[in-house]
Amino acid sequence: MKIVIINGPNLNFLGTREPDIYGRQTLDEIENRIQEYAERQEVACSFFQSNSEGELIDRIQQAHMDKADGIILNPAAYTHYSYAIHDAVKSVNVPTVEVHLSAIHARESFRKESVVAPACVGQISGFGAVGYLLAIQALKEVRNKGEEQ
Ligand code: DQA
């Protein structure tokens, strides 16, 4: 099983950025943790981060071309207003789980809405880096269900 983990703007600043909200782990540390977990689950992971909307869209489309089995996507602030990322997720044939480190529904009102989530199979928020591990489990479930049918 192949999964692509895509992180959006400012997530390259994890560790430095508002640690009370996003924790003290850097993106590299989080990706290493995901990698170790995924190996134990026999899942192959690739990682991508960009601060640009177009690059995130290109990587979502690439996941389709590479026949990935799933995408784990933290669109960061784009979550709340990028119809282009919504459309990209809808365009590809790859189940996508939206992940947020923080509990977006318990924060400022502009963070409560995700315009990307309706294009996804589900959303996980508020569990810090563990959310990415939960998303791997969720994608395995989605895949097993597909195989049962
Ligand atoms: C975030 C939540 C977003 O509202 C914010 O803009 C981010 C990070 C999270 O992971 O909690 O950049 O996606």
Side-chain angles (χ1 to χ4, degrees), residues 19-34:
D20 294 348
I21 296 174
Y22 298 116
R24 290 182 193 281
Q25 281 191 307
T26 64
L27 184 58
D28 267 358
E29 288 166 344
I30 290 174
E31 287 179 346
N32 286 337
R33 187 173 174 190
I34 298 168

Side-chain angles (χ1 to χ4, degrees), residues 5-18 21-31 48-52 56 72-79 98-102 107 111 128 132:
I5 292 107
I6 302 176
N7 281 293
N10 301 306
L11 292 170
N12 56 322
F13 254 61
L14 288 175
T16 303
R17 176 190 182 196
E18 299 182 274
I21 296 174
Y22 298 116
R24 290 182 193 281
Q25 281 191 307
T26 64
L27 184 58
D28 267 358
E29 288 166 344
I30 290 174
E31 287 179 346
F48 182 76
Q49 188 278 332
S50 176
N51 293 326
S52 307
L56 295 169
I72 297 172
L73 175 62
N74 184 344
Y78 284 132
T79 305
E98 184 179 296
V99 168
H100 299 284
L101 295 154
S102 66
R107 297 183 61 197
R111 292 188 206 276
Y132 295 95

Side-chain angles (χ1 to χ4, degrees), residues 79-107:
T79 305
H80 314 297
Y81 64 94
S82 176
Y83 299 117
I85 292 179
H86 169 112
D87 286 350
V89 173
K90 274 275 197 196
S91 303
V92 299
N93 221 344
V94 187
T96 301
V97 177
E98 184 179 296
V99 168
H100 299 284
L101 295 154
S102 66
I104 56 169
H105 299 283
R107 297 183 61 197

Side-chain angles (χ1 to χ4, degrees), residues 45-59:
C45 280
S46 19
F47 298 95
F48 182 76
Q49 188 278 332
S50 176
N51 293 326
S52 307
E53 191 176 31
E55 286 185 7
L56 295 169
I57 291 166
D58 289 345
R59 189 64 189 87

Side-chain angles (χ1 to χ4, degrees), residues 55-75:
E55 286 185 7
L56 295 169
I57 291 166
D58 289 345
R59 189 64 189 87
I60 290 166
Q61 293 180 354
Q62 188 62 47
H64 173 90
M65 278 151 348
D66 294 344
K67 297 190 169 38
D69 300 294
I71 296 172
I72 297 172
L73 175 62
N74 184 344

